[in-house]
Amino acid sequence: QGHKLLDAKHTELVLRGKVPAFGPDAKYGYGFVERVESGKRVVGHGGGFPGISAQLDSYRDQGYVLAVLSNYDAGATPIANRVAELLRE
C-alpha cells in the first residue's frame, strides 16, 4: 500500500480486474479478483488444497488487509466472509 514494491501506477494496473468473473460485481486480472462489496473496492486471492486454505483480501477503500491461513480444506473462507460482514456494518 505504501508503493515500496511497485509505484502507484503499476500497483493499480496489477490490482485492477480485467475480465468478468465470479459474479456481476467481480473481475479477474493478473491473479487477483477485484470486487465491490457495499460500494467498497476489495482485491484479493484465495485458494487451497486438501488440508489447507488461504484468503488474502485488500480492502482498498478502507485501508485494511486481511490474511487468513488455515489447516482445513475450506477453513479460510468462512473467516474471511465473516470479516467482510463486519466491515460492511
Side-chain angles (χ1 to χ4, degrees), residues 37-57:
E37 295 180 357
S38 298
K40 307 288 187 196
R41 182 173 174 229
V42 183
V43 178
H45 183 89
F49 197 73
I52 60 168
S53 63
Q55 182 67 40
L56 174 68
D57 287 325

mmCIF file with all atom_site columns, all heavy atoms in Angstrom, residues 37-57:
data_model
loop_
_atom_site.group_PDB
_atom_site.id
_atom_site.type_symbol
_atom_site.label_atom_id
_atom_site.label_alt_id
_atom_site.label_comp_id
_atom_site.label_asym_id
_atom_site.label_entity_id
_atom_site.label_seq_id
_atom_site.pdbx_PDB_ins_code
_atom_site.Cartn_x
_atom_site.Cartn_y
_atom_site.Cartn_z
_atom_site.occupancy
_atom_site.B_iso_or_equiv
_atom_site.pdbx_formal_charge
_atom_site.auth_seq_id
_atom_site.auth_comp_id
_atom_site.auth_asym_id
_atom_site.auth_atom_id
_atom_site.pdbx_PDB_model_num
ATOM 1   N N   . GLU A 1 37 ? -18.007 -4.621  -2.651 1.00 0.00 ? 37 GLU A N   1
ATOM 2   C CA  . GLU A 1 37 ? -18.875 -5.063  -1.564 1.00 0.00 ? 37 GLU A CA  1
ATOM 3   C C   . GLU A 1 37 ? -19.397 -3.827  -0.850 1.00 0.00 ? 37 GLU A C   1
ATOM 4   O O   . GLU A 1 37 ? -18.614 -3.062  -0.295 1.00 0.00 ? 37 GLU A O   1
ATOM 5   C CB  . GLU A 1 37 ? -18.111 -5.954  -0.576 1.00 0.00 ? 37 GLU A CB  1
ATOM 6   C CG  . GLU A 1 37 ? -17.645 -7.255  -1.172 1.00 0.00 ? 37 GLU A CG  1
ATOM 7   C CD  . GLU A 1 37 ? -16.900 -8.129  -0.182 1.00 0.00 ? 37 GLU A CD  1
ATOM 8   O OE1 . GLU A 1 37 ? -16.695 -7.699  0.976  1.00 0.00 ? 37 GLU A OE1 1
ATOM 9   O OE2 . GLU A 1 37 ? -16.512 -9.236  -0.573 1.00 0.00 ? 37 GLU A OE2 1
ATOM 10  N N   . SER A 1 38 ? -20.693 -3.631  -0.898 1.00 0.00 ? 38 SER A N   1
ATOM 11  C CA  . SER A 1 38 ? -21.328 -2.466  -0.278 1.00 0.00 ? 38 SER A CA  1
ATOM 12  C C   . SER A 1 38 ? -20.679 -1.166  -0.741 1.00 0.00 ? 38 SER A C   1
ATOM 13  O O   . SER A 1 38 ? -20.420 -0.264  0.054  1.00 0.00 ? 38 SER A O   1
ATOM 14  C CB  . SER A 1 38 ? -21.276 -2.573  1.252  1.00 0.00 ? 38 SER A CB  1
ATOM 15  O OG  . SER A 1 38 ? -21.972 -3.703  1.690  1.00 0.00 ? 38 SER A OG  1
ATOM 16  N N   . GLY A 1 39 ? -20.367 -1.099  -2.026 1.00 0.00 ? 39 GLY A N   1
ATOM 17  C CA  . GLY A 1 39 ? -19.786 0.104   -2.592 1.00 0.00 ? 39 GLY A CA  1
ATOM 18  C C   . GLY A 1 39 ? -18.304 0.282   -2.335 1.00 0.00 ? 39 GLY A C   1
ATOM 19  O O   . GLY A 1 39 ? -17.723 1.290   -2.725 1.00 0.00 ? 39 GLY A O   1
ATOM 20  N N   . LYS A 1 40 ? -17.672 -0.688  -1.686 1.00 0.00 ? 40 LYS A N   1
ATOM 21  C CA  . LYS A 1 40 ? -16.241 -0.607  -1.364 1.00 0.00 ? 40 LYS A CA  1
ATOM 22  C C   . LYS A 1 40 ? -15.453 -1.589  -2.229 1.00 0.00 ? 40 LYS A C   1
ATOM 23  O O   . LYS A 1 40 ? -15.874 -2.724  -2.434 1.00 0.00 ? 40 LYS A O   1
ATOM 24  C CB  . LYS A 1 40 ? -15.989 -0.922  0.114  1.00 0.00 ? 40 LYS A CB  1
ATOM 25  C CG  . LYS A 1 40 ? -16.808 -0.104  1.082  1.00 0.00 ? 40 LYS A CG  1
ATOM 26  C CD  . LYS A 1 40 ? -16.333 1.310   1.134  1.00 0.00 ? 40 LYS A CD  1
ATOM 27  C CE  . LYS A 1 40 ? -17.088 2.033   2.245  1.00 0.00 ? 40 LYS A CE  1
ATOM 28  N NZ  . LYS A 1 40 ? -17.009 3.424   2.180  1.00 0.00 ? 40 LYS A NZ  1
ATOM 29  N N   . ARG A 1 41 ? -14.298 -1.177  -2.662 1.00 0.00 ? 41 ARG A N   1
ATOM 30  C CA  . ARG A 1 41 ? -13.439 -1.997  -3.527 1.00 0.00 ? 41 ARG A CA  1
ATOM 31  C C   . ARG A 1 41 ? -12.581 -2.946  -2.688 1.00 0.00 ? 41 ARG A C   1
ATOM 32  O O   . ARG A 1 41 ? -11.900 -2.533  -1.757 1.00 0.00 ? 41 ARG A O   1
ATOM 33  C CB  . ARG A 1 41 ? -12.538 -1.072  -4.350 1.00 0.00 ? 41 ARG A CB  1
ATOM 34  C CG  . ARG A 1 41 ? -11.643 -1.800  -5.304 1.00 0.00 ? 41 ARG A CG  1
ATOM 35  C CD  . ARG A 1 41 ? -10.913 -0.799  -6.190 1.00 0.00 ? 41 ARG A CD  1
ATOM 36  N NE  . ARG A 1 41 ? -9.943  -1.478  -7.009 1.00 0.00 ? 41 ARG A NE  1
ATOM 37  C CZ  . ARG A 1 41 ? -8.686  -1.110  -7.139 1.00 0.00 ? 41 ARG A CZ  1
ATOM 38  N NH1 . ARG A 1 41 ? -8.249  -0.027  -6.523 1.00 0.00 ? 41 ARG A NH1 1
ATOM 39  N NH2 . ARG A 1 41 ? -7.864  -1.802  -7.891 1.00 0.00 ? 41 ARG A NH2 1
ATOM 40  N N   . VAL A 1 42 ? -12.636 -4.236  -3.063 1.00 0.00 ? 42 VAL A N   1
ATOM 41  C CA  . VAL A 1 42 ? -11.850 -5.268  -2.399 1.00 0.00 ? 42 VAL A CA  1
ATOM 42  C C   . VAL A 1 42 ? -11.089 -6.038  -3.474 1.00 0.00 ? 42 VAL A C   1
ATOM 43  O O   . VAL A 1 42 ? -11.661 -6.414  -4.496 1.00 0.00 ? 42 VAL A O   1
ATOM 44  C CB  . VAL A 1 42 ? -12.741 -6.245  -1.606 1.00 0.00 ? 42 VAL A CB  1
ATOM 45  C CG1 . VAL A 1 42 ? -11.894 -7.272  -0.871 1.00 0.00 ? 42 VAL A CG1 1
ATOM 46  C CG2 . VAL A 1 42 ? -13.654 -5.506  -0.651 1.00 0.00 ? 42 VAL A CG2 1
ATOM 47  N N   . VAL A 1 43 ? -9.796  -6.253  -3.245 1.00 0.00 ? 43 VAL A N   1
ATOM 48  C CA  . VAL A 1 43 ? -8.965  -7.007  -4.177 1.00 0.00 ? 43 VAL A CA  1
ATOM 49  C C   . VAL A 1 43 ? -8.345  -8.160  -3.408 1.00 0.00 ? 43 VAL A C   1
ATOM 50  O O   . VAL A 1 43 ? -7.798  -7.957  -2.317 1.00 0.00 ? 43 VAL A O   1
ATOM 51  C CB  . VAL A 1 43 ? -7.861  -6.122  -4.785 1.00 0.00 ? 43 VAL A CB  1
ATOM 52  C CG1 . VAL A 1 43 ? -6.972  -6.917  -5.725 1.00 0.00 ? 43 VAL A CG1 1
ATOM 53  C CG2 . VAL A 1 43 ? -8.464  -4.935  -5.515 1.00 0.00 ? 43 VAL A CG2 1
ATOM 54  N N   . GLY A 1 44 ? -8.439  -9.371  -3.957 1.00 0.00 ? 44 GLY A N   1
ATOM 55  C CA  . GLY A 1 44 ? -7.885  -10.485 -3.219 1.00 0.00 ? 44 GLY A CA  1
ATOM 56  C C   . GLY A 1 44 ? -7.638  -11.720 -4.053 1.00 0.00 ? 44 GLY A C   1
ATOM 57  O O   . GLY A 1 44 ? -7.853  -11.745 -5.273 1.00 0.00 ? 44 GLY A O   1
ATOM 58  N N   . HIS A 1 45 ? -7.182  -12.741 -3.360 1.00 0.00 ? 45 HIS A N   1
ATOM 59  C CA  . HIS A 1 45 ? -6.907  -14.034 -3.981 1.00 0.00 ? 45 HIS A CA  1
ATOM 60  C C   . HIS A 1 45 ? -7.018  -15.094 -2.902 1.00 0.00 ? 45 HIS A C   1
ATOM 61  O O   . HIS A 1 45 ? -6.557  -14.898 -1.783 1.00 0.00 ? 45 HIS A O   1
ATOM 62  C CB  . HIS A 1 45 ? -5.503  -14.056 -4.582 1.00 0.00 ? 45 HIS A CB  1
ATOM 63  C CG  . HIS A 1 45 ? -5.195  -15.332 -5.302 1.00 0.00 ? 45 HIS A CG  1
ATOM 64  N ND1 . HIS A 1 45 ? -5.486  -15.499 -6.626 1.00 0.00 ? 45 HIS A ND1 1
ATOM 65  C CD2 . HIS A 1 45 ? -4.657  -16.493 -4.870 1.00 0.00 ? 45 HIS A CD2 1
ATOM 66  C CE1 . HIS A 1 45 ? -5.119  -16.717 -6.995 1.00 0.00 ? 45 HIS A CE1 1
ATOM 67  N NE2 . HIS A 1 45 ? -4.600  -17.347 -5.936 1.00 0.00 ? 45 HIS A NE2 1
ATOM 68  N N   . GLY A 1 46 ? -7.643  -16.199 -3.250 1.00 0.00 ? 46 GLY A N   1
ATOM 69  C CA  . GLY A 1 46 ? -7.767  -17.292 -2.303 1.00 0.00 ? 46 GLY A CA  1
ATOM 70  C C   . GLY A 1 46 ? -7.576  -18.624 -2.991 1.00 0.00 ? 46 GLY A C   1
ATOM 71  O O   . GLY A 1 46 ? -7.554  -18.714 -4.215 1.00 0.00 ? 46 GLY A O   1
ATOM 72  N N   . GLY A 1 47 ? -7.440  -19.640 -2.189 1.00 0.00 ? 47 GLY A N   1
ATOM 73  C CA  . GLY A 1 47 ? -7.304  -20.974 -2.747 1.00 0.00 ? 47 GLY A CA  1
ATOM 74  C C   . GLY A 1 47 ? -6.994  -21.979 -1.676 1.00 0.00 ? 47 GLY A C   1
ATOM 75  O O   . GLY A 1 47 ? -6.964  -21.665 -0.488 1.00 0.00 ? 47 GLY A O   1
ATOM 76  N N   . GLY A 1 48 ? -6.772  -23.195 -2.128 1.00 0.00 ? 48 GLY A N   1
ATOM 77  C CA  . GLY A 1 48 ? -6.466  -24.232 -1.162 1.00 0.00 ? 48 GLY A CA  1
ATOM 78  C C   . GLY A 1 48 ? -6.155  -25.550 -1.832 1.00 0.00 ? 48 GLY A C   1
ATOM 79  O O   . GLY A 1 48 ? -6.087  -25.662 -3.058 1.00 0.00 ? 48 GLY A O   1
ATOM 80  N N   . PHE A 1 49 ? -6.001  -26.533 -0.992 1.00 0.00 ? 49 PHE A N   1
ATOM 81  C CA  . PHE A 1 49 ? -5.648  -27.886 -1.373 1.00 0.00 ? 49 PHE A CA  1
ATOM 82  C C   . PHE A 1 49 ? -6.104  -28.750 -0.214 1.00 0.00 ? 49 PHE A C   1
ATOM 83  O O   . PHE A 1 49 ? -6.342  -28.218 0.876  1.00 0.00 ? 49 PHE A O   1
ATOM 84  C CB  . PHE A 1 49 ? -4.119  -27.958 -1.576 1.00 0.00 ? 49 PHE A CB  1
ATOM 85  C CG  . PHE A 1 49 ? -3.640  -29.138 -2.345 1.00 0.00 ? 49 PHE A CG  1
ATOM 86  C CD1 . PHE A 1 49 ? -3.847  -29.226 -3.714 1.00 0.00 ? 49 PHE A CD1 1
ATOM 87  C CD2 . PHE A 1 49 ? -2.982  -30.184 -1.711 1.00 0.00 ? 49 PHE A CD2 1
ATOM 88  C CE1 . PHE A 1 49 ? -3.402  -30.311 -4.430 1.00 0.00 ? 49 PHE A CE1 1
ATOM 89  C CE2 . PHE A 1 49 ? -2.533  -31.271 -2.423 1.00 0.00 ? 49 PHE A CE2 1
ATOM 90  C CZ  . PHE A 1 49 ? -2.743  -31.339 -3.787 1.00 0.00 ? 49 PHE A CZ  1
ATOM 91  N N   . PRO A 1 50 ? -6.262  -30.054 -0.371 1.00 0.00 ? 50 PRO A N   1
ATOM 92  C CA  . PRO A 1 50 ? -6.684  -30.852 0.780  1.00 0.00 ? 50 PRO A CA  1
ATOM 93  C C   . PRO A 1 50 ? -5.819  -30.594 2.016  1.00 0.00 ? 50 PRO A C   1
ATOM 94  O O   . PRO A 1 50 ? -4.605  -30.725 1.984  1.00 0.00 ? 50 PRO A O   1
ATOM 95  C CB  . PRO A 1 50 ? -6.530  -32.291 0.285  1.00 0.00 ? 50 PRO A CB  1
ATOM 96  C CG  . PRO A 1 50 ? -6.774  -32.186 -1.190 1.00 0.00 ? 50 PRO A CG  1
ATOM 97  C CD  . PRO A 1 50 ? -6.129  -30.868 -1.571 1.00 0.00 ? 50 PRO A CD  1
ATOM 98  N N   . GLY A 1 51 ? -6.465  -30.125 3.067  1.00 0.00 ? 51 GLY A N   1
ATOM 99  C CA  . GLY A 1 51 ? -5.779  -29.869 4.324  1.00 0.00 ? 51 GLY A CA  1
ATOM 100 C C   . GLY A 1 51 ? -5.312  -28.452 4.546  1.00 0.00 ? 51 GLY A C   1
ATOM 101 O O   . GLY A 1 51 ? -4.843  -28.117 5.631  1.00 0.00 ? 51 GLY A O   1
ATOM 102 N N   . ILE A 1 52 ? -5.468  -27.576 3.552  1.00 0.00 ? 52 ILE A N   1
ATOM 103 C CA  . ILE A 1 52 ? -5.057  -26.173 3.718  1.00 0.00 ? 52 ILE A CA  1
ATOM 104 C C   . ILE A 1 52 ? -5.973  -25.251 2.919  1.00 0.00 ? 52 ILE A C   1
ATOM 105 O O   . ILE A 1 52 ? -6.583  -25.654 1.936  1.00 0.00 ? 52 ILE A O   1
ATOM 106 C CB  . ILE A 1 52 ? -3.595  -25.914 3.260  1.00 0.00 ? 52 ILE A CB  1
ATOM 107 C CG1 . ILE A 1 52 ? -3.431  -26.249 1.779  1.00 0.00 ? 52 ILE A CG1 1
ATOM 108 C CG2 . ILE A 1 52 ? -2.607  -26.661 4.118  1.00 0.00 ? 52 ILE A CG2 1
ATOM 109 C CD1 . ILE A 1 52 ? -2.128  -25.771 1.176  1.00 0.00 ? 52 ILE A CD1 1
ATOM 110 N N   . SER A 1 53 ? -6.049  -24.011 3.337  1.00 0.00 ? 53 SER A N   1
ATOM 111 C CA  . SER A 1 53 ? -6.746  -22.987 2.562  1.00 0.00 ? 53 SER A CA  1
ATOM 112 C C   . SER A 1 53 ? -6.243  -21.615 2.999  1.00 0.00 ? 53 SER A C   1
ATOM 113 O O   . SER A 1 53 ? -5.694  -21.464 4.093  1.00 0.00 ? 53 SER A O   1
ATOM 114 C CB  . SER A 1 53 ? -8.262  -23.075 2.729  1.00 0.00 ? 53 SER A CB  1
ATOM 115 O OG  . SER A 1 53 ? -8.642  -22.847 4.057  1.00 0.00 ? 53 SER A OG  1
ATOM 116 N N   . ALA A 1 54 ? -6.411  -20.642 2.124  1.00 0.00 ? 54 ALA A N   1
ATOM 117 C CA  . ALA A 1 54 ? -5.938  -19.294 2.419  1.00 0.00 ? 54 ALA A CA  1
ATOM 118 C C   . ALA A 1 54 ? -6.782  -18.266 1.666  1.00 0.00 ? 54 ALA A C   1
ATOM 119 O O   . ALA A 1 54 ? -7.357  -18.559 0.623  1.00 0.00 ? 54 ALA A O   1
ATOM 120 C CB  . ALA A 1 54 ? -4.472  -19.143 2.013  1.00 0.00 ? 54 ALA A CB  1
ATOM 121 N N   . GLN A 1 55 ? -6.847  -17.077 2.231  1.00 0.00 ? 55 GLN A N   1
ATOM 122 C CA  . GLN A 1 55 ? -7.518  -15.955 1.580  1.00 0.00 ? 55 GLN A CA  1
ATOM 123 C C   . GLN A 1 55 ? -6.762  -14.678 1.932  1.00 0.00 ? 55 GLN A C   1
ATOM 124 O O   . GLN A 1 55 ? -6.446  -14.437 3.092  1.00 0.00 ? 55 GLN A O   1
ATOM 125 C CB  . GLN A 1 55 ? -8.974  -15.828 2.042  1.00 0.00 ? 55 GLN A CB  1
ATOM 126 C CG  . GLN A 1 55 ? -9.748  -14.723 1.389  1.00 0.00 ? 55 GLN A CG  1
ATOM 127 C CD  . GLN A 1 55 ? -9.990  -14.960 -0.096 1.00 0.00 ? 55 GLN A CD  1
ATOM 128 O OE1 . GLN A 1 55 ? -10.277 -16.074 -0.504 1.00 0.00 ? 55 GLN A OE1 1
ATOM 129 N NE2 . GLN A 1 55 ? -9.888  -13.913 -0.890 1.00 0.00 ? 55 GLN A NE2 1
ATOM 130 N N   . LEU A 1 56 ? -6.459  -13.890 0.925  1.00 0.00 ? 56 LEU A N   1
ATOM 131 C CA  . LEU A 1 56 ? -5.833  -12.587 1.107  1.00 0.00 ? 56 LEU A CA  1
ATOM 132 C C   . LEU A 1 56 ? -6.753  -11.553 0.486  1.00 0.00 ? 56 LEU A C   1
ATOM 133 O O   . LEU A 1 56 ? -7.070  -11.641 -0.704 1.00 0.00 ? 56 LEU A O   1
ATOM 134 C CB  . LEU A 1 56 ? -4.459  -12.529 0.434  1.00 0.00 ? 56 LEU A CB  1
ATOM 135 C CG  . LEU A 1 56 ? -3.773  -11.169 0.438  1.00 0.00 ? 56 LEU A CG  1
ATOM 136 C CD1 . LEU A 1 56 ? -3.366  -10.792 1.862  1.00 0.00 ? 56 LEU A CD1 1
ATOM 137 C CD2 . LEU A 1 56 ? -2.562  -11.172 -0.478 1.00 0.00 ? 56 LEU A CD2 1
ATOM 138 N N   . ASP A 1 57 ? -7.222  -10.592 1.272  1.00 0.00 ? 57 ASP A N   1
ATOM 139 C CA  . ASP A 1 57 ? -8.097  -9.532  0.775  1.00 0.00 ? 57 ASP A CA  1
ATOM 140 C C   . ASP A 1 57 ? -7.543  -8.177  1.179  1.00 0.00 ? 57 ASP A C   1
ATOM 141 O O   . ASP A 1 57 ? -7.182  -7.967  2.338  1.00 0.00 ? 57 ASP A O   1
ATOM 142 C CB  . ASP A 1 57 ? -9.518  -9.668  1.341  1.00 0.00 ? 57 ASP A CB  1
ATOM 143 C CG  . ASP A 1 57 ? -10.279 -10.819 0.725  1.00 0.00 ? 57 ASP A CG  1
ATOM 144 O OD1 . ASP A 1 57 ? -10.082 -11.090 -0.473 1.00 0.00 ? 57 ASP A OD1 1
ATOM 145 O OD2 . ASP A 1 57 ? -11.083 -11.445 1.439  1.00 0.00 ? 57 ASP A OD2 1
#
